[in-house]
Amino acid sequence: MQKSLLLFVFIAMACNNNEKAKTAKITEAAAKPSVTLPYLASYSSSFEMGDPVYVATILKGEWKAWEENKMDSMKSWMADTVLTIFSDNTSIRGSDSVVNSLKKYRAMFSNVTATINAAIPVYSTDKKENWALIWTTEIDTRLNGKKDTIIWMESWRFNKDGKADLLLQYDRAKRKL
């Protein structure tokens, strides 16, 4: 009898906690004010937090590979048809071409150190697309010993197969030439 009573108490508590959780979520959602934006975004105005696996893919696959000068591993998470639009307005299509270009550029540096300032996964609910938004500060040491600091903002889009198919890159350089 005591076991039955104890089981009933636990079930009642669990049901009560579930109701409180539902109420909290509803209250939280209701507390957010409705906002009318002064502009309608041309691409999408409908984003929500996304899956962090896409951020991890970029941080491990791109940034760590870039620092460690191991770009060959990048092909595993890029779509064959990936399009990259770099901050200098050059664009490269195809994972082989992108990786070869990055390897050539990375060869100009003896060392690269990246600090990740923010990494945010987002999901476009109207386009049904996953994006990874990455903000970094990079310190590059050229072969002659000169150092450059660049602040990067990258937006990576992932296709339905979970492969990166688009990079939009922006920078603010603090170059000391």
Side-chain angles (χ1 to χ4, degrees), residues 56-69:
T57 297
I58 299 302
L59 294 182
K60 287 188 266 184
E62 182 206 9
W63 283 97
K64 200 49 110 166
W66 178 253
E67 272 188 324
E68 296 174 354
N69 201 11

Side-chain angles (χ1 to χ4, degrees), residues 37 40-41 43-49 122-129 131:
L37 300 175
L40 182 62
Y43 184 76
S44 176
S45 292
S46 183
F47 283 93
E48 62 185 30
M49 291 305 293
V122 295
Y123 179 73
S124 171
T125 58
D126 58 340
K127 300 281 187 184
K128 300 191 182 341
E129 294 173 339
W131 289 80

Side-chain angles (χ1 to χ4, degrees), residues 118-164:
I120 307 164
V122 295
Y123 179 73
S124 171
T125 58
D126 58 340
K127 300 281 187 184
K128 300 191 182 341
E129 294 173 339
N130 286 288
W131 289 80
L133 311 177
I134 313 293
W135 293 308
T136 66
T137 301
E138 178 179 308
I139 299 173
D140 299 330
T141 305
R142 294 187 178 272
L143 297 177
N144 66 7
K146 281 189 173 184
K147 290 188 177 189
D148 292 333
T149 301
I150 305 170
I151 299 169
W152 298 102
M153 194 294 173
E154 293 186 341
S155 300
W156 285 92
R157 183 181 67 192
F158 289 82
N159 65 21
K160 62 180 173 48
D161 298 322
K163 301 275 188 172

Side-chain angles (χ1 to χ4, degrees), residues 68-96:
E68 296 174 354
N69 201 11
K70 297 178 180 175
M71 274 76 67
D72 285 324
S73 64
M74 292 178 162
K75 293 179 193 176
S76 67
W77 54 268
M78 281 187 201
D80 291 340
T81 58
V82 66
L83 171 63
T84 57
I85 303 173
F86 293 106
S87 60
D88 64 357
N89 282 330
T90 60
S91 62
I92 302 171
R93 183 176 294 275
S95 59
D96 288 334

Side-chain angles (χ1 to χ4, degrees), residues 99-112:
V99 170
N100 289 336
S101 176
L102 291 174
K103 287 166 75 172
K104 190 175 182 180
Y105 186 66
R106 177 62 173 82
M108 297 170 46
F109 307 108
S110 61
N111 188 53
V112 172

